[in-house]
Amino acid sequence: MTPEPLIALEGITKTFGSGAAAFQALKGVDLTIARGEFMAIMGPSGSGKSTTMNILGCLDVPTGGVFRFRGVEVQKLDRDQRSLLRRRYLGFVFQGFNLLARTTALENVELPLLYRGESKAVRREAALRALDQVGLVPWAEHTPAELSGGQQQRVAIARALVTDPDVLLADEPTGNLDSERSVEIMELLRRLNAAGITILMVTHEEEMAAFARTIVRFRDGLVESIERGALAGEEHPA
Amino acid sequence: MLGTSILLALREIRRHILRSILTTLGIIIGVAAVVTMVTLGNGVTASVQEQISSLGASNFIVFPVRTTRGTIRPFEEGDVRAVRQQIAGIKVAAGSVSASVTAFTNGQDWDTTVEGGTNDLLEAQSVKIAEGRPFSADELESGKSVCLLGVKVREAIFPPDANPVGSQMRLDDVACQVIGVLEPRGQGGGGADDDDVVYMPLKTVQRRFKGSDNLEYFVVKYDPDYAATAIQQSLVDLLRERRLLQAGEPNDFNIIDTAQINQALGAATGALTAMVAVIASISLLVGGIGIMNIMLVSVTERTREIGIRLAIGALAREVRLQFLTEAVVLCALGGLVGLALAFAASFGIAAAIDVPFVFDPVINLVSFLFAAGMGIVFGYYPARRASQLDPIDALRHE
């Protein structure tokens, strides 16, 4: 008996707008993602990869189909229930880092715990642990403006990690970084994946996708191909 | 969550300190204006009431006025006695004369007023003796040269450690013996100082300073159980009869009911205070609109931040609470600054215009709550807008 996959997409469609202006971004996507996966989602712009990512991140709901996350049918949940799902199980890393300006790295990392109602002491301890995972404890009291792009992205990863999520969703996490910083970030993601976190990453760079276990390619709102067990990154010693 | 929201709000306010100050200026000025106006209004009312109660509560003051004949017919002791004896409900009726004099002692001099009266006058005017004794029957009867000092006069011409009771002093060229010092009565209105006075027996002042038995006015204190209008009517009837006024001739005297003045002045200052407070409230309202404006700007400016918060799992109501808290904290801080300003301003102005400073906790509390309430009213719409943003769009916002 195969265990229930962590994530299952069945016949997912997504239509934006209505009538003549309607645009079908997803035309029936089927995808299952097992716990511990490190998946890169690729595809040209307009292929539906970002829309899929938004649905996987419970930020958006599909127009049709079934999206099961931990056995729960997410498309049936309301806005606040999806917020609670994100708060509890998901961590986000964005291309633009999206840290709060004029707020220290430590406070940025503490932010998700604030919404969990954790005490100040718990928040601080967990945030420092997360910053330690990304090697930024000495920078805890610095604001984003005082950090390099690579450091900002590592703070963002620490923020995603601090709640100990099941899934880390990374949307072009290296899009704003030079190749050296990008490799650093990817190696960090690999380490986190090895520690048990499921990672879903959108990227358009083959070199970055090579770090993932599985590469899913989108085209015209459908899954074009799935390359499992790529593990190209194994060649790079971590 | 609320405590955290307040901390977050304070941090956000500190981050944009200049903008926060400018935004709340309307609230600050509004609260300061309302509270200052009401506080000063209360001070003026209190001052007027104090002045009137220094005339004595439930009193009539009766004084002669010029008529068409062009003369002033003064009252005499006989009129006062008749009022006392013939009208029911009269507790005290006492005449008075006064003169401007210079008081001398120990080489000091002080320009003041000598008031001639009996112990009844002191009672009717609510004048109390702090040290010494009232006039004796003999002193009143034979017009002895004894005096009771108001505290202002006592301070002006006697050293602070000396007991003036028993010592001699001079009023113009009339020598007199100090038999007592009065309790302080405070500031009257219009620059008059109720403590800057010397009391002597009525007859003494009439003989030594005025050279006549006339009274300038007399005070009638009545039993508050009796109807003031009935007593006033009896007074008018009796005095017209004594002054031989024909029917149809106007009264050649005037009766002032201190209770009525009290009420009328209280109503007038109350109405004035209310009017000014309403005008000041408009500035509060304008301030509130300023808050809404800046909160809307803030929501737009922080769209991405809102997106981040929503993405990491903030509920709509948590985002709403955050922005609402920010608006309320901003308004409440503005309110507090306004109260502090109002305290300083009304304290200073009260001293400058010579009215007592009457701290009114109710208006302070109400203004503060009103200011905070403005935060809820004018912060709600921007907060709601923030909470309804779509996280995907908000994250894409540049």
Side-chain angles (χ1 to χ4, degrees):
Chain A
M1 165 190 144
T2 45
E4 166 102 12
L6 181 64
I7 292 168
L9 299 181
E10 292 164 20
I12 293 292
T13 61
K14 179 71 185 179
T15 307
F16 292 105
S18 58
F23 166 69
Q24 198 171 20
L26 296 181
K27 296 170 180 167
V29 171
D30 298 306
L31 193 62
T32 56
I33 301 168
R35 200 177 282 276
E37 178 67 278
F38 186 167
M39 180 182 282
I41 298 174
M42 302 195 71
S45 66
S47 62
K49 62 182 192 302
S50 288
T51 306
T52 305
M53 195 66 166
N54 286 337
I55 290 172
L56 288 171
C58 303
L59 291 166
D60 206 349
V61 279
T63 312
V66 176
F67 166 27
R68 272 199 207 86
F69 176 63
R70 295 172 63 94
V72 175
E73 294 199 18
V74 178
Q75 81 278 359
K76 290 181 181 166
L77 302 180
D78 68 17
R79 195 184 145 122
D80 275 353
Q81 286 169 323
R82 280 184 282 121
S83 278
L84 291 172
L85 215 55
R86 290 198 294 275
R87 175 188 297 196
R88 183 73 191 82
Y89 299 110
L90 304 180
F92 288 88
V93 176
F94 307 96
Q95 177 176 2
F97 318 141
N98 279 338
L99 299 175
L100 296 190
R102 280 164 297 187
T103 305
T104 65
L106 188 65
E107 286 168 331
N108 263 295
V109 176
E110 282 184 21
L111 193 64
L113 297 172
L114 211 60
Y115 290 107
R116 283 197 177 181
E118 301 289 3
S119 75
K120 191 174 173 63
V122 170
R123 290 203 305 266
R124 177 136 307 216
E125 202 206 316
L128 282 172
R129 215 183 312 122
L131 280 173
D132 188 39
Q133 280 181 277
V134 300
L136 277 183
V137 172
W139 301 86
E141 296 302 329
H142 290 254
T143 61
E146 297 164 344
L147 299 174
S148 71
Q151 287 171 325
Q152 288 187 53
Q153 193 60 300
R154 283 195 277 157
V155 173
I157 292 172
R159 182 179 62 193
L161 290 178
V162 75
T163 55
D164 204 4
D166 281 5
V167 182
L168 191 141
L169 295 111
D171 191 355
E172 302 267 12
T174 59
N176 287 10
L177 300 175
D178 61 40
S179 55
E180 203 176 329
R181 297 309 134 219
S182 298
V183 169
E184 273 175 34
I185 294 294
M186 293 317 298
E187 282 171 351
L188 175 58
L189 291 181
R190 279 268 304 278
R191 273 207 308 280
L192 296 171
N193 178 243
I197 298 178
T198 307
I199 296 180
L200 307 178
M201 172 180 76
V202 166
T203 184
H204 61 267
E205 295 169 273
E206 291 290 347
E207 313 90 87
M208 301 307 142
F211 282 83
R213 266 178 221 281
T214 305
I215 298 176
V216 176
R217 293 182 198 276
F218 275 72
R219 181 171 292 276
D220 293 334
L222 290 167
V223 173
E224 186 187 44
S225 69
I226 301 177
E227 302 161 30
R228 292 204 187 268
L231 280 178
E234 298 285 40
E235 295 148 28
H236 303 262
Chain B
M1 194 66 212
L2 187 64
T4 315
S5 288
I6 290 173
L7 281 180
L8 280 176
L10 286 173
R11 203 160 67 189
E12 199 54 42
I13 289 165
R14 209 175 52 221
R15 238 179 239 170
H16 303 284
I17 188 71
L18 181 65
R19 187 169 85 182
S20 302
I21 292 170
L22 291 175
T23 306
T24 43
L25 211 51
I27 299 276
I28 293 173
I29 292 173
V31 166
V34 170
V35 174
T36 306
M37 285 308 150
V38 172
T39 305
L40 288 179
N42 287 346
V44 169
T45 309
S47 147
V48 166
Q49 273 163 354
E50 189 184 8
Q51 212 177 325
I52 300 221
S53 71
S54 79
L55 299 170
S58 1
N59 279 8
F60 290 122
I61 299 166
V62 187
F63 53 93
V65 293
R66 200 177 293 274
T67 62
T68 43
R69 281 193 222 142
T71 54
I72 292 179
R73 276 198 295 162
F75 290 109
E76 291 167 0
E77 193 53 40
D79 296 316
V80 177
R81 205 178 308 122
V83 165
R84 192 160 46 224
Q85 286 166 356
Q86 294 179 27
I87 301 177
I90 302 277
K91 285 161 92 176
V92 173
S96 178
V97 288
S98 62
S100 293
V101 292
T102 307
F104 300 93
T105 189
N106 306 324
Q108 305 287 317
D109 60 285
W110 180 256
D111 290 333
T112 183
T113 306
V114 63
E115 192 96 10
T118 58
N119 292 330
D120 282 351
L121 181 76
L122 297 181
E123 191 201 326
Q125 292 184 337
S126 313
V127 177
K128 294 196 175 59
I129 294 165
E131 299 167 54
R133 58 171 178 85
F135 302 123
S136 70
D138 178 48
E139 284 160 354
L140 287 168
E141 197 53 45
S142 51
K144 287 271 169 56
S145 208
V146 288
C147 55
L148 295 164
L149 299 185
V151 285
K152 204 76 171 248
V153 180
R154 183 225 180 285
E155 282 163 11
I157 58 174
F158 285 97
D161 49 344
N163 181 4
V165 176
S167 52
Q168 293 288 325
M169 62 179 282
R170 205 152 51 74
L171 293 169
D172 288 349
D173 49 8
V174 178
C176 71
Q177 190 188 12
V178 179
I179 60 166
V181 177
L182 304 174
E183 277 183 8
R185 303 172 68 201
Q187 203 78 30
D193 189 336
D194 291 336
D195 293 323
D196 188 4
V197 69
V198 177
Y199 279 92
M200 288 181 89
L202 177 64
K203 281 190 175 159
T204 319
V205 178
Q206 283 173 333
R207 280 181 207 156
R208 309 294 290 271
F209 295 94
K210 301 302 256 190
S212 87
D213 288 345
N214 294 338
L215 298 175
E216 279 163 7
Y217 66 92
F218 65 94
V219 180
V220 175
K221 185 172 186 174
Y222 58 88
D223 188 335
D225 291 344
Y226 284 76
T229 47
I231 294 183
Q232 188 165 359
Q233 192 53 50
S234 311
L235 258 176
V236 170
D237 292 346
L238 177 65
L239 291 173
R240 283 184 68 90
E241 188 187 320
R242 287 185 64 85
R243 290 161 86 82
L244 305 170
L245 294 176
Q246 302 295 317
E249 263 187 287
N251 291 343
D252 60 356
F253 56 89
N254 214 342
I255 300 175
I256 294 174
D257 183 344
T258 54
Q260 240 170 37
I261 298 181
N262 209 345
Q263 251 173 22
L265 284 177
T269 51
L272 200 68
T273 304
M275 197 184 76
V276 177
V278 164
I279 294 171
S281 314
I282 292 172
S283 102
L284 254 184
L285 190 73
V286 173
I289 293 168
I291 295 272
M292 175 147 84
N293 189 14
I294 216 72
M295 289 307 296
L296 283 173
V297 170
S298 178
V299 167
T300 307
E301 211 182 68
R302 289 156 66 191
T303 299
R304 205 179 243 276
E305 174 196 326
I306 295 163
I308 297 168
R309 289 178 187 278
L310 289 170
I312 63 172
L315 300 178
R317 66 164 180 273
E318 287 166 338
V319 170
R320 194 166 60 223
L321 180 70
Q322 184 196 340
F323 278 84
L324 202 53
T325 309
E326 232 174 273
V328 172
V329 168
L330 203 57
C331 286
L333 284 180
L336 283 181
V337 174
L339 289 188
L341 265 183
F343 187 86
S346 45
F347 196 80
I349 296 174
I353 65 171
D354 224 6
V355 300
F357 171 75
V358 186
F359 181 79
D360 184 342
V362 173
I363 190 69
N364 277 273
L365 188 68
V366 166
S367 300
F368 175 73
L369 292 179
F370 191 76
M374 306 274 290
I376 296 179
V377 171
F378 290 105
Y380 185 79
Y381 175 67
R384 192 163 154 266
R385 248 177 59 158
S387 71
Q388 288 178 344
L389 286 174
D390 179 64
I392 299 167
D393 292 341
L395 281 169
R396 273 196 212 120
H397 185 88
E398 289 304 323

